[in-house]
């Protein structure tokens, strides 16, 4: 049983260190920031799903481009 727990722990650490997971966390932070800003602007909580869809439509492409090429200022 201890070997299985150790393997699970190793897998969990691998995932946490992966670039894909780091990208997910960064994107999630941007979505939550967008949710907060839009909710403040509108005067009510717009909810995560609405913020997610709005952010994807309006900001995701430029956000990703800026992360790929930070020196270009996009």
């Amino acid at each position: 049983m201890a070997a299985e727990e150790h393997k699970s722990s190793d897998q969990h650490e691998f995932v946490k260190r992966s670039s894909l997971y780091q990208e997910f966390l960064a994107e999630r932070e941007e979505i939550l920031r967008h949710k907060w800003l839009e909710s403040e602007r509108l005067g009510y909580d717009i909810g995560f799903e609405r913020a997610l869809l709005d952010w994807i439509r309006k900001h995701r492409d430029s956000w990703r481009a800026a992360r790929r090429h930070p020196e270009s200022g996009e």
Side-chain angles (χ1 to χ4, degrees):
M1 191 67 156
E4 287 179 18
E5 289 176 9
H6 182 68
K7 183 178 178 183
S8 177
S9 177
D10 287 348
Q11 289 173 342
H12 182 71
E13 286 302 312
F14 171 76
V15 168
K16 285 175 58 177
R17 287 189 311 265
S18 74
S19 60
L20 182 61
Y21 185 68
Q22 295 303 314
E23 194 70 11
F24 160 76
L25 290 177
E27 192 166 299
R28 181 177 168 267
E29 282 299 312
E30 287 298 311
I31 295 162
L32 290 172
R33 181 175 171 269
H34 180 70
K35 176 185 178 292
W36 183 79
L37 290 170
E38 287 300 300
S39 294
E40 286 290 312
R41 184 177 69 82
L42 296 171
Y44 62 91
D45 186 348
I46 66 170
F48 186 81
E49 289 181 6
R50 179 174 170 187
L52 169 67
L53 296 173
D54 190 54
W55 184 80
I56 287 171
R57 258 188 24 253
K58 295 178 180 176
H59 305 291
R60 182 189 231 175
D61 290 341
S62 60
W63 180 81
R64 284 184 169 176
R67 283 182 64 86
R68 277 192 296 268
H69 305 289
E71 67 283 351
S72 67
E74 289 179 16

